[in-house]
Amino acid sequence: MTSWETKAAEMVEKQIQARGILSERVLDAMRAVPRHLFIPEELRESAWADCPLPIGEDQTISQPYMVARMTELLSPEEGDSVLEIGTGSGYQSAVLAAMGAVVTSIERIGSLAARARDTLASLGFAVNVIWADGRERVGCAEVFDGVVVTAATPAVEEWWTESLAPAGRLVAPVAVMSGGERLLLRLKNADASLTDTWLDYCRFVPLLGGTQTGSVDGACQ
Ligand code: SAH
């Protein structure tokens, strides 16, 4: 039987390096995180496939390449604080944490937040998972070096940009047409002005308002 490390290395080589992701830190993190443990038991055989997969509650874990692409755009340094909106399975958080980022992640579905928290903790990733609507400002006036949104948003919420530190970066799939998004990379300059760059077209599950408890049970682990 092939070990998951071999499958992860193959995924990185064929799906991620082959498409031009060059950051060794991103590639190393994606080799190091056991993606299969963030996926429901019955789908685990497909964990390394080149596509998003269902994780329950009508939500998905993103395609590995999309996780790599957003992580490379964010490029967190060791010790940087990163806010994620849309925890889902917790996989994107784990990749960021594996790069040494200090991650806070917000999820609106309680059952997914609980499962992601369990999976991350069991793997030793100290991610702060918060059950809340990430469109609304959460908690204290914390400032983040990076913000990554992993659900399709009609617009960039003001508090996400306000929470960026100088030289901070935000990456978000912003709706640009019916059923389609485009990745926005927003840099906050030293004088607090913003530089926006529009990148890849993509497809994410929608950012929704409010919270719900959800019903999927148990940890993926
Ligand atoms: N990053 C995830 C994939 C996210 S799928 C991973 O690595 O698995 C998008 C997630 O965003 C879903 O779990 C969905 O419930 C969540 N979401 C949607 N709207 C939200 C909101 N307003 N606040 C927080 N989470 C939200």
Side-chain angles (χ1 to χ4, degrees):
M1 216 173 76
T2 322
S3 71
W4 73 261
E5 285 94 341
T6 307
K7 293 180 187 168
E10 201 174 299
M11 173 191 85
V12 165
E13 188 194 331
K14 295 196 175 143
Q15 300 175 32
I16 296 175
Q17 277 179 303
R19 291 195 180 107
I21 303 290
L22 301 175
S23 161
E24 276 304 329
R25 292 182 62 241
V26 174
L27 301 176
D28 282 347
M30 295 203 54
R31 285 187 199 103
V33 175
R35 180 173 164 92
H36 59 298
L37 298 181
F38 292 84
I39 284 167
E41 192 102 41
E42 61 272 25
L43 295 177
R44 242 168 232 178
E45 283 195 3
S46 308
W48 310 97
D50 192 10
C51 56
L53 290 169
I55 54 169
E57 311 291 0
D58 289 330
Q59 305 305 320
T60 55
I61 178 173
S62 303
Q63 178 196 25
Y65 169 72
M66 192 46 69
V67 174
R69 175 73 170 135
M70 293 176 95
T71 307
E72 188 176 58
L73 291 172
L74 210 60
S75 285
E77 297 295 333
E78 182 95 33
D80 275 4
S81 56
V82 175
L83 172 69
E84 179 188 27
I85 309 292
T87 316
S89 68
Y91 178 70
Q92 170 77 76
S93 294
V95 170
L96 293 164
M99 291 175 74
V102 178
V103 184
T104 300
S105 186
I106 303 176
E107 171 56 55
R108 65 176 287 280
I109 302 179
S111 58
L112 293 181
R115 193 170 65 182
R117 206 179 276 138
D118 285 351
T119 308
L120 289 161
S122 68
L123 294 170
F125 293 115
V127 172
N128 179 21
V129 178
I130 299 172
W131 176 30
D133 174 359
R135 296 183 319 170
E136 312 283 335
R137 187 186 288 274
V138 173
C140 54
E142 206 177 331
V143 167
F144 297 93
D145 300 301
V147 174
V148 60
V149 183
T150 61
T153 184
V156 177
E157 296 293 335
E158 263 176 40
W159 84 271
W160 301 340
T161 303
E162 284 166 11
S163 301
L164 278 182
R169 291 160 172 249
L170 172 143
V171 179
V174 180
V176 288
M177 63 180 95
S178 166
E181 299 88 53
R182 200 163 178 190
L183 282 187
L184 170 66
L185 172 63
R186 171 168 287 180
L187 304 183
K188 188 178 261 189
N189 302 306
D191 63 358
S193 62
L194 304 173
T195 305
D196 284 354
T197 310
W198 291 94
L199 301 159
D200 325 25
Y201 288 90
C202 50
R203 198 71 224 273
F204 279 78
V205 294
L207 190 85
L208 300 173
T211 56
Q212 65 181 80
T213 52
S215 59
V216 298
D217 48 44
C220 272
Q221 262 286 31

